Amino acid sequence: MTEQTALPETGAVVGKPDAAVVRDALGVGVAVGLSGFAFGVTSAGSGLTLAQTCALSLLVFTGASQFALVGALAAGGNPLTAAAGAFFLGVRNAFYGLRLSQLLALPRAVRPFAAQWVIDETTAVALAQPTRRGVRIGFTVTGLTLYVLWNLTTLLGALGAEAIGDTAAWGLDAAGPAVFLALLAPMLKSTTERTVAGLAVLLGLGLLPVLPAGVPVLVAALAAPLVLWAGGRGAGGAAPDRPAPADGAEGER
């Protein structure tokens, strides 16, 4: 399939009505934004202060990385290892940005601010739109709704952590990974993608009892290059032999 690098503004392609794009974007933003409450509770239960918890949501604003960081810290992991795991989970947003920069085509002055909203949800909504106008509306509404709600519910969760008590007893520590898996699962369409995901799970869970907290997620990142390397070798080995040259044609190219 040829990758589309430019989108029509409107007209040439009939996109969704603006109201439909806004509705879809609001649905995603509200549904995911409310899970910030679980992060606030989990973070406070891991020993982070209210200011530290809120700063993570304001500045980092990528749920999987935030949950990975506080989860590793709660398990007694080294802060540097925990930060490294969170960083590598957040690297995916840089690749989203490469694609969105083509579709959004924003002015240079706006790009640094828009980069803060380049996450799984805004990318998914934006990529679903057939026109640049739809992409911009979907990205902006999803990003604004999610950023406001995520930070508000983070604050409420951190303030209410003491009243809730043990987060493990309520199962709130599993909310972040559950949301991340729900977003990831529909994207695993090819055999290679499913293999990478399966191997990453095996590496992460298998090494969890033997490695310090935060390290298994770093090792699990090796799943992608391992699968790609194995796939490349398999494709190379399966290449058909070159036919023997016809009589008298040896040496010709």
Side-chain angles (χ1 to χ4, degrees), residues 4 16 18-19 33 46 72 74-75 105 114 116 125 136 172 182 188 205 209 216 218 242:
Q4 188 180 13
K16 293 181 182 178
D18 291 352
S46 301
Q116 179 70 353
V125 174
R136 288 175 172 173
L172 292 177
L188 303 178
L205 293 180
L218 298 179
R242 297 176 65 181

Side-chain angles (χ1 to χ4, degrees), residues 135-219:
V135 169
R136 288 175 172 173
I137 293 174
F139 176 85
T140 303
V141 175
T142 306
L144 179 61
T145 305
L146 186 48
Y147 190 77
V148 171
L149 271 180
W150 180 267
N151 282 282
L152 177 60
T153 54
T154 293
L155 174 62
L156 294 176
L159 290 173
E162 185 175 346
I164 290 176
D166 184 11
T167 58
W170 290 82
L172 292 177
D173 54 335
V179 171
F180 186 70
L181 287 175
L183 290 169
L184 177 64
M187 301 180 186
L188 303 178
K189 297 179 180 178
S190 70
T191 302
T192 300
E193 291 167 346
R194 295 190 188 100
T195 304
V196 170
L199 181 57
V201 170
L202 290 176
L203 288 173
L205 293 180
L207 297 174
L208 195 59
V210 297
L211 292 179
V215 176
V217 70
L218 298 179
V219 179

Side-chain angles (χ1 to χ4, degrees), residues 14 37 50 55 60 66 97 111 121 135 193 213 226:
V14 178
F37 183 83
L50 176 63
V60 178
Q66 293 177 231
R111 292 176 189 176
E121 296 81 9
V135 169
E193 291 167 346
L226 285 174

Side-chain angles (χ1 to χ4, degrees), residues 16 26 42 93 196:
K16 293 181 182 178
L26 285 174
T42 304
N93 294 336
V196 170

Side-chain angles (χ1 to χ4, degrees), residues 222-244:
L222 297 175
L226 285 174
V227 171
L228 292 175
W229 174 77
R233 288 200 62 183
D241 296 332
R242 297 176 65 181

Side-chain angles (χ1 to χ4, degrees), residues 114-129:
Q116 179 70 353
W117 290 354
V118 176
I119 54 175
D120 299 304
E121 296 81 9
T122 55
T123 302
V125 174
L127 291 180
Q129 312 309 320

